[in-house]
């Protein structure tokens, strides 16, 4: 019997959002900004909060420091009903921090990975992870941890769970082709348009999707403000984004993932999964912080009602 709707594996850190910073101070100089805001950050953590807000019972599996920031993240998780029993506490590292400068325009980041760097999928207690009927994994690092990821995915599939994965940005620039082996064990594979181009080598997203569909039956590619497109069982479906005022795009992709996977886990069709993903992404960018603006189920439905015309356009099959 599964204890959770989903278990999420990956990173959690503090986001310090600097609002209205139009220049970086020179040595010896001080500048004043409009505001500084403290939020939970990290793609996996933002996905977890957004999924919990929608009403699913979620557990988080990651590594936090034994410090004030680590305790703050745990408290925030618990506020949303997220189970924290699978979180490990680092004995050597502090909780990670990202400083996000000027999120209203081209964002700049300064990041200390901290305890997130200690996350090793090979050391996970998969019997505990499999208490979720679904597992969402992040933190794939290409050649650096490919074998461990494939071994984990194989084992979890044998244990009867469904899997989703957001592959994330490859900071090495290699774009390791082994990712296609990992895709074979994943039920829903998510990435953004730039990542899809880098991994497949194709310029047009249709070609990228066709190629990836040879490895995974259900691939989702996020197109930013333009919406998203999916290829499931050989059928391509696209859905346009919503026109909204963006104040902070941090976590928009993670919020999309949560809306989409919420639809997937509640047995909805691809068109509705895309709609929910696009709504969550659109609502996310309307507030500072990666999960501040993401909706609960009531807010999701209200947004759809208020944007009926745009929502009715979200069912184009290509």
């Amino acid at each position: 019997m599964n204890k959770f709707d989903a278990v999420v594996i990956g990173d959690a850190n503090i986001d310090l959002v600097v609002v209205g910073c139009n220049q970086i101070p020179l040595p010896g100089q001080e500048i004043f900004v409009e505001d500084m805001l403290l939020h939970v950050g990290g793609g996996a953590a933002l996905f977890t909060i957004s999924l919990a807000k929608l009403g699913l019972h979620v557990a988080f599996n990651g590594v936090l420091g034994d410090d004030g920031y680590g305790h703050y993240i745990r408290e925030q998780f618990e506020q949303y009903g997220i189970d924290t029993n699978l979180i490990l506490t680092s004995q050597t590292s502090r909780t990670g921090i990202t400083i996000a400068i000027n999120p209203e325009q081209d964002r700049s980041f300064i990041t200390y990975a901290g305890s997130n760097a200690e996350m090793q999928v090979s050391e996970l207690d998969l019997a505990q992870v499999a208490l979720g009927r679904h597992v969402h994994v992040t933190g794939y690092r290409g050649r650096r941890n490919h074998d461990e990821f494939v071994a984990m995915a194989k084992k979890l599939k044998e244990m009867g769970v469904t899997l989703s994965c957001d592959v994330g940005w490859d900071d090495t620039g290699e774009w390791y082709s082994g990712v296609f082996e990992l895709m074979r064990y994943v039920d829903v594979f998510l990435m953004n348009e730039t990542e899809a181009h880098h991994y497949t080598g194709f310029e047009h997203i249709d070609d990228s999707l066709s190629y990836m569909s040879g490895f995974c039956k259900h691939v989702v590619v996020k197109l930013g403000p333009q919406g998203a497109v999916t290829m499931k069982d050989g059928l391509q479906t696209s859905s346009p984004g919503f026109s909204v005022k963006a104040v902070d795009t941090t976590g928009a992709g993670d919020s999309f993932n949560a809306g989409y996977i919420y639809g997937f886990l509640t047995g909805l069709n691809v068109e509705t999964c895309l709609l929910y993903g696009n709504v969550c992404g659109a609502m996310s960018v309307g507030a500072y912080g990666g999960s501040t603006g993401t909706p609960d189920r009531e807010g999701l439905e209200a947004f759809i009602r208020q944007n009926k015309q745009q929502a009715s356009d979200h069912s184009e099959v290509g």
Side-chain angles (χ1 to χ4, degrees):
M1 183 70 180
N2 297 114
K3 185 176 180 181
F4 307 109
D5 293 310
V7 172
V8 183
I9 298 169
D11 57 325
N13 55 259
I14 289 294
D15 275 355
L16 179 62
V17 181
V18 183
V19 181
C21 180
N22 298 314
Q23 66 180 95
I24 303 300
L26 298 171
Q29 181 183 16
E30 179 181 17
I31 62 171
F32 290 87
V33 296
E34 291 176 24
D35 206 350
M36 290 191 188
L37 307 168
L38 194 72
H39 298 283
V40 175
L46 297 176
F47 172 87
T48 301
I49 291 173
S50 298
L51 196 59
K53 277 184 166 184
L54 290 168
L56 296 188
H57 190 203
V58 190
F60 184 80
N61 194 330
V63 186
L64 294 172
D66 186 13
D67 51 29
Y69 287 150
H71 298 311
Y72 172 79
I73 292 170
R74 288 175 184 269
E75 289 167 4
Q76 290 296 301
F77 280 161
E78 289 165 359
Q79 178 181 322
Y80 293 109
I82 297 162
D83 190 285
T84 60
N85 288 314
L86 300 182
I87 297 176
L88 300 176
T89 301
S90 171
Q91 302 304 313
T92 56
S93 302
R94 297 185 305 280
T95 301
I97 304 173
T98 288
I99 302 174
I101 301 169
N102 204 19
E104 309 90 336
Q105 299 174 23
D106 287 336
R107 295 169 295 157
S108 300
F109 300 98
I110 302 170
T111 294
Y112 161 65
S115 54
N116 286 318
E118 297 180 25
M119 184 70 186
Q120 301 291 331
V121 296
S122 59
E123 298 175 7
L124 292 173
D125 182 346
L126 296 186
Q128 292 294 310
V129 173
L131 290 174
R133 64 185 175 96
H134 180 83
V135 177
H136 181 76
V137 296
T138 66
Y140 180 70
R141 298 287 180 262
R143 199 181 295 273
R144 290 171 289 178
N145 64 2
H146 173 77
D147 292 342
E148 293 87 349
F149 256 70
V150 169
M152 172 187 66
K154 281 183 179 179
K155 185 65 176 175
L156 287 172
K157 292 305 296 177
E158 290 169 3
M159 297 170 84
V161 306
T162 54
L163 279 174
S164 57
C165 176
D166 189 314
V167 71
W169 183 259
D170 182 358
D171 57 10
T172 69
E174 180 183 8
W175 302 100
Y176 180 49
S177 61
V179 72
F180 301 116
E181 179 189 10
L182 177 61
M183 283 186 182
R184 296 184 185 278
Y185 303 99
V186 176
D187 296 278
V188 185
F189 208 93
L190 304 119
M191 63 180 68
N192 66 34
E193 185 175 14
T194 305
E195 292 157 358
H197 291 323
H198 278 300
Y199 273 119
T200 65
F202 292 110
E203 290 188 15
H204 200 284
I205 199 63
D206 292 348
D207 297 325
S208 293
L209 281 167
S210 295
Y211 183 78
M212 289 187 288
S213 68
F215 303 95
C216 180
K217 292 182 178 180
H218 194 166
V219 179
V220 184
V221 178
K222 294 165 280 186
L223 309 175
Q226 281 68 53
V229 59
T230 186
M231 179 78 87
K232 182 183 180 187
D233 298 326
L235 179 65
Q236 184 172 323
T237 308
S238 61
S239 183
F242 288 90
S243 178
V244 294
K245 176 177 172 56
V247 300
D248 182 3
T249 59
T250 303
D254 306 304
S255 299
F256 172 93
N257 290 351
Y260 193 95
I261 295 300
Y262 172 78
F264 172 77
L265 291 177
T266 51
L268 302 176
N269 60 29
V270 165
E271 291 83 0
T272 308
C273 291
L274 283 167
L275 171 61
Y276 283 4
N278 283 327
V279 169
C280 288
M283 295 184 74
S284 169
V285 304
Y288 289 108
S291 65
T292 309
T294 56
D296 57 15
R297 181 56 196 262
E298 184 178 333
L300 178 81
E301 298 294 352
F303 183 96
I304 293 171
R305 287 195 302 271
Q306 292 162 9
N307 295 270
K308 277 184 180 176
Q309 186 54 54
Q310 284 194 72
S312 68
D313 296 334
H314 281 239
S315 58
E316 175 195 345
V317 177

